[in-house]
Amino acid sequence: MLFPLMSLAPLAPAAAADVAAPTEAEIAKAKATLIPKLRLGDDSGYIEVYGQINKGLLIFDDGGSTLGYGPVDNGNSSTRAGARIYGVVNDTWAMGGNLEWEWTPYSTNSVNQLNRGDFDWDTNLLRKAELYLESKTYGKLWLGQGSMASDSSAEVDLSGTTVVGYALVSDMAGGPFFRFSDGTLTSVKVKDAFTDFDGLGRKLRVRYDTPQIAGFTVSSSVGTQVVPDQTHETVWDLAARYDKTIDDFKISAAIAYSEPADDQSLYDGSVSILHQPSGLSLTVAAAYSDEDVVDGSYGYFKLGYQTNIFEAGKTAFSVDAYFGEDIDAAGSTSQSFGAQLVQNLDYYQTELYLGLRQYAYEEPAVDIDKSYAVLAGARLKF
């Protein structure tokens, strides 16, 4: 019956076609948000203020006690605010800048069994203070505090659930201590045993990105840490990225080499593939840290699914697994399994999220209990 029906399609009244096509008003309504874009200017030159608030409730079971922490700042994506400037110089060049702070007085990466309820209201961090000059022909040159070339190279993820879970699995509950099987606390925090070795992070640096060619971009940077503490050590890195849609598949990937210290070389990378019609995605990340004392490594795997259950916005589900060796100590193993759920509320610019995770850390000849974490909350962007 399909082909006869298709053959009748050209005979349908024009009014039916008009109804099927969205009007400009309908398109504008679909894009409407609770907080309009805070921008002065147009696409050729503007000043823009932006930010996000990300708060939740963390429940952590270390095998000996179950404690709740709230309202916590979600370490996966901190509460922050910033301002951007942008301007077209001529047909070839444009320039811009970015200033951004974060404020995390009670973060999932700092709360633990010994400081429960201890809010540090003075905790804030300058994330970005940078300027850039860019050209589609010659690439992009950055100067100031911001992402090194290798930043986020281990964290490419198209699952739609990164607000509550991604390769750095400790961000969900990095502050609490593990507990020995005899009931006493260890000196090892979750964030000590789980890392994604994600390059050099943000530094005061000079960085250059090549123009994108067939989806590929190569970047390099040199800089030094000044925030939160000055190290007086110069570091450098090199990274390559790929972003392209091929037929129904959106593909993003990154690989990087960096030297965080004189005695350490770091190799990391990640790839994420999204099949857009079905909403299914696969994400893989891995890294190897070559150090004089002990070499660390891990592998991370994630399966995701995105669908439109509610008119309010997309729903995303995912499950993941992390396997690490020699992260905190020689001979240690770090394993984590998690599940994530994110419901987007497009008009309200909000994501509601729920994450469940198990952490297992082992050292030779030591019995340490497994830990379990639940994180639920909301992220509002403006």
Side-chain angles (χ1 to χ4, degrees), residues 142-188:
W142 310 71
L143 178 63
Q145 169 72 18
S147 292
M148 296 285 285
S150 58
D151 188 24
S152 299
S153 54
E155 299 170 352
V156 174
D157 191 325
L158 300 175
S159 67
T161 61
T162 57
V163 67
V164 71
Y166 66 117
L168 189 53
V169 297
S170 61
D171 269 354
M172 181 175 162
F177 294 94
F178 285 100
R179 190 177 293 272
F180 289 117
S181 57
D182 66 6
T184 60
L185 290 176
T186 72
S187 61
V188 180

Side-chain angles (χ1 to χ4, degrees), residues 336-357:
S336 181
F337 300 93
Q340 300 83 34
L341 166 64
V342 176
Q343 176 60 55
N344 289 272
L345 305 177
D346 294 341
Y347 174 75
Y348 295 100
Q349 299 156 273
T350 296
E351 297 153 284
L352 305 178
Y353 56 81
L354 173 66
L356 313 174
R357 186 167 295 283

Side-chain angles (χ1 to χ4, degrees), residues 233-248:
E233 184 175 7
T234 300
V235 294
W236 69 276
D237 58 5
L238 179 66
R241 287 178 168 80
Y242 179 78
D243 288 288
K244 197 165 186 177
T245 298
I246 302 175
D247 296 328
D248 291 334

Side-chain angles (χ1 to χ4, degrees), residues 52-82:
Q52 65 180 42
I53 300 171
N54 192 352
K55 299 288 185 178
L57 171 65
L58 171 66
I59 299 174
F60 190 84
D61 181 348
D62 59 22
S65 67
T66 302
L67 299 175
Y69 305 86
V72 290
D73 299 282
N74 183 343
N76 292 285
S77 181
S78 60
T79 296
R80 64 191 66 161

